[in-house]
Amino acid sequence: MAMTNVLTGKYRTTGTTPLDLSSCSKGDILKYFEASYDLNESLFVGLKDEDAFYKCPDRLRLPLIFYYAHTATVYVNKLMLAGLMTERVNLDFETMFELGVDEMSWDDTENYRMGGRFQWPPLAEAVEFRRLVRNRIRQLIEDTPLQLPITQDNPWWAVMMGVEHEKIHIETSSVLIRQMPITMVTTPPKWKYAPASTGTAIQENPLVQVEGGEVTFGKPEDFPSYGWCMEYGQQTFKVPTFEASKFKVTNREFLQFVKAGGYENSSYWTKEGWNWQCFRQMRHPIFWVCTKGCKSSCGAVLSSYSHCLPEHFSTTYTDPEIRQHLENNNGPQNGDLNGNGCEHDFRLRVIFDVMEMPWDWPVVVNYHEARAFCAWKGPEFRMLTEAEFNMIQGGALGDPSKGVTSDPVFHKDPQANFRLTFGSSSPVDLYRPNDLGFHDVFGNVWEWVEDHFNCLPGYRQHHLYDDYAFPFCDGRHGLMLGGSWASNGTYNSRFSRSFFRRHFYQHAGFRVARTLPGAGKSPVVMVNTDVYILGAGVEEKDLTVPETVGLEVVPMASTNRQFHQETEEALAAMLALQYGDGGQNYSKALADFCVEKANHYGCPLQKIVQLGCGTGGVTYQLAKTYKEVIGLDYCGQFLEAAIALQKTGEFHLSKPGVTDSETEKKSMTDDIITVSIPADVQRDKLTFKQMTWVPNEIPKSDLVLLDFLDRVNNPKAWWLRLWEIVTENGIVMVISQKIGKEELSSDLNNKLDLLEELELQFKDGQGQTKVTMATIWKLRM
């Protein structure tokens, strides 16, 4: 029975065209918001009962109850930051449902919120939370004066951010529901899958030649539709003549790779890809269904579940739950309940059903599988690059300066399978080719490309969602382009760039490409910045490509400047500042200053949070006075040193440029940096956290010390929530050499009163005297 009780509005099964933000009305925005909110909830109608909401369809993702409530939480959090909403709906929920998970690797330990130990709220409370948020936003849209155009500096941008974020999660949730056991879902009313074929089986996938030339891509700042930060900026490349497949690789094509033993042959796989394959032991793409009991990706209590059961092929369907499901949902698609007409060894799991394999649909795989297929096909084959993908879009794209008509996502009849025209992929020849002869350059399934994900030159991070993209410009995330059948709103825009880890599954496939002999090499972007992972160190990267594939690696530094601080040189400098000859003076002087001002203004000395704790020098000094101390930073190397000091009281670092072998041979103290914390510090008072923004889980504190604005990507993003994390009797202290009351006042004056501004002098790690500004604020009563 469908879970219609999860709806707080209307049931719907199709997406919407995005808004022209230069001319939309309040009525347009309200309809756009309602449609997105409705569609997201409507997906969850397909869960069979409440119990399904608390199951983990993916071992490295949270239960579905999180994703049901998460998007409402993001609306509230962003509207609060923008000042359009002044009171929270439910802070407990807006904390619990704020932070998802982004696993470092396929073999990560399951998050503690995935099992039975974490107590999620009853579904009825989550539904009521969504209802309250919906009503609050309806009122906000009605009451707030609309200023056109809606640009990135306009408060209404936060409304559009919430809507477009929800549209992204419609797709994310559809992938997760597709991974659920078939007995836990039911096909919702009016859900329409695409036809299996257009009538003629696609036996060939010819290569189409594209003449070389210069290509520029990136979204103009003034384009009148919503955009995510990584879409902006501009990149230009010269691309030699190349060939790419007319269609995306189909299930039929990929079957040959499976039958040829492609999943068992390590020579086809990258090192990273083969490590993943050895862990997962895949025999075929994740949504293919066979009879061999293959390991699923489900987590927690579903970890032993397999989608690959003989019951899906049996003439008797001995499993009563599966038989009942198939009877309720009209049996195996394109066949009868006993499986007559199924001539192959595989079926396909779509979001709510298992159907006979639609061989002309594009195959859904991750990056590793796509790369392996290309290597199997021949040494010269590969996927497209981002530059090449932008070239195969063809002449149908207009000049972006002409407005929204240049983006197919705004066309009334785009001739593409996106915004849930169908509730599934579709035959790769269902829609006519573009002027260059390529099918499905928009929609159906995303296309993996060869490039690492990185933001484009000239982009700027938006202060309302500072952690949206830049934490993932690490060389470990792949890039997908073009959108899928489940993409709607601007997520299917010509400018859309999506990023996921290379082992991640989305509704994504690929097409093959090759560079013509003698044409030169096509540029492929790879991030060459070493990224330090807390607790794991620097992960090895492979910045090479096979010589035979005709690609030239363009090494680029991560556009996340914060990653550039993850070096031993930066760590040594921070240790010298906070613990060195002049450093003890710095840490103690700043801590003493904080305590002095707290006493002066009559603040309790109970709890403090330091945003920008570095290696913990100031934090440990403050722990002498405060009963609970939280140190927060984004830098993994800094935090690792702080945590090591908490465990043992000392931290040792070989001086940069001195190898471990040299240190062992010399055993000289001048080759090792050694720091320690005061003996009288109670280490159990301290908690260190790695964060790339200020989440709701940071508790209200009597002193909030913000002192790393001079080294973060987007300072404004760090001061917007200060008023929410300080107690009524507490103070906020901002320390910066570059930012003073003039820059802070436009945002902080809405909620905080400036108590004083003064200059501080301190000595840096080299003993040089520095001058910094300190502004002290108190919550306005």
Side-chain angles (χ1 to χ4, degrees), residues 146 184 196 533 655 738:
L146 178 61
M184 293 186 176
I533 302 171
K655 286 186 177 179
K738 301 176 182 178

Side-chain angles (χ1 to χ4, degrees), residues 4 22 41 59 66 119 157 173 236 256 286 297 300 361 387 410 503 507 510 541 564 586 594 598 691 704 773:
T4 55
S22 66
E41 293 176 349
R59 65 177 299 274
F66 172 85
Q119 293 300 309
W157 193 259
S173 294
T236 299
Q256 303 311 309
I286 188 172
S297 59
W361 287 11
F410 284 90
H503 61 270
H507 303 303
F510 66 106
K541 286 182 188 159
H564 302 174
Y586 166 76
C594 291
M691 294 290 178
V704 178
M773 291 174 285

Side-chain angles (χ1 to χ4, degrees), residues 623-695:
K624 295 179 180 180
T625 303
Y626 283 84
K627 293 184 177 180
E628 183 179 351
V629 182
I630 298 173
L632 184 151
D633 211 293
Y634 56 79
C635 185
Q637 291 219 52
F638 294 174
L639 286 169
E640 200 151 273
I643 293 169
L645 283 160
Q646 186 179 27
K647 290 179 179 178
T648 67
E650 285 191 343
F651 177 73
H652 306 279
L653 174 72
S654 296
K655 286 186 177 179
V658 178
T659 65
D660 291 339
S661 60
E662 289 174 333
T663 302
E664 289 173 6
K665 290 177 181 178
K666 295 179 180 180
S667 297
M668 294 174 60
T669 56
D670 59 356
D671 288 327
I672 301 176
I673 300 170
T674 299
V675 301
S676 60
I677 58 175
D680 55 346
V681 171
Q682 296 180 34
R683 299 177 205 162
D684 58 353
K685 288 183 176 182
L686 292 105
T687 302
F688 292 101
K689 293 176 177 285
Q690 185 177 34
M691 294 290 178
T692 53
W693 84 109
V694 185

Side-chain angles (χ1 to χ4, degrees), residues 501-735:
R501 297 191 186 276
R502 289 183 277 269
H503 61 270
F504 192 89
Y505 282 103
Q506 193 71 352
H507 303 303
F510 66 106
R511 70 180 79 220
V512 298
R514 68 181 178 188
T515 306
L516 293 184
K521 294 186 175 182
S522 197
V524 57
V525 171
M526 292 191 174
V527 175
N528 63 357
T529 304
D530 286 334
V531 177
Y532 193 90
I533 302 171
L534 184 62
V538 176
E539 185 177 79
E540 179 184 353
K541 286 182 188 159
D542 182 4
L543 300 183
T544 63
V545 294
E547 184 65 29
T548 56
V549 299
L551 293 178
E552 179 180 5
V553 174
V554 180
M556 287 193 174
S558 170
T559 47
N560 180 358
R561 292 186 296 106
Q562 292 173 188
F563 283 153
H564 302 174
Q565 299 168 32
E566 296 278 9
T567 65
E568 288 189 352
E569 289 77 11
L571 175 57
M574 182 60 72
L575 290 170
L577 172 65
Q578 295 192 324
Y579 299 95
D581 293 338
Q584 283 284 22
N585 292 333
Y586 166 76
S587 296
K588 188 174 187 306
L590 181 53
D592 289 347
F593 176 76
C594 291
V595 174
E596 175 193 340
K597 291 300 179 182
N599 285 324
H600 176 75
Y601 290 108
C603 305
L605 301 177
Q606 297 294 315
K607 185 181 294 185
I608 177 175
V609 60
Q610 183 184 9
L611 307 179
C613 65
T615 55
V618 180
T619 321
Y620 283 115
Q621 293 288 342
L622 288 166
K624 295 179 180 180
T625 303
Y626 283 84
K627 293 184 177 180
E628 183 179 351
V629 182
I630 298 173
L632 184 151
D633 211 293
Y634 56 79
C635 185
Q637 291 219 52
F638 294 174
L639 286 169
E640 200 151 273
I643 293 169
L645 283 160
Q646 186 179 27
K647 290 179 179 178
T648 67
E650 285 191 343
F651 177 73
H652 306 279
L653 174 72
S654 296
K655 286 186 177 179
V658 178
T659 65
D660 291 339
S661 60
E662 289 174 333
T663 302
E664 289 173 6
K665 290 177 181 178
K666 295 179 180 180
S667 297
M668 294 174 60
T669 56
D670 59 356
D671 288 327
I672 301 176
I673 300 170
T674 299
V675 301
S676 60
I677 58 175
D680 55 346
V681 171
Q682 296 180 34
R683 299 177 205 162
D684 58 353
K685 288 183 176 182
L686 292 105
T687 302
F688 292 101
K689 293 176 177 285
Q690 185 177 34
M691 294 290 178
T692 53
W693 84 109
V694 185
N696 290 343
E697 70 178 69
I698 302 302
K700 287 182 178 291
S701 300
D702 303 309
L703 172 63
V704 178
L705 173 61
L706 172 60
D707 67 338
F708 68 163
L709 292 180
D710 299 338
R711 60 181 171 95
V712 298
N713 282 338
N714 195 334
K716 184 173 182 177
W718 289 92
W719 73 60
L720 283 177
R721 281 202 68 235
L722 293 177
W723 67 275
E724 277 203 287
I725 61 173
V726 64
T727 60
E728 290 184 1
N729 297 317
I731 56 173
V732 171
M733 190 176 298
V734 181
I735 309 292

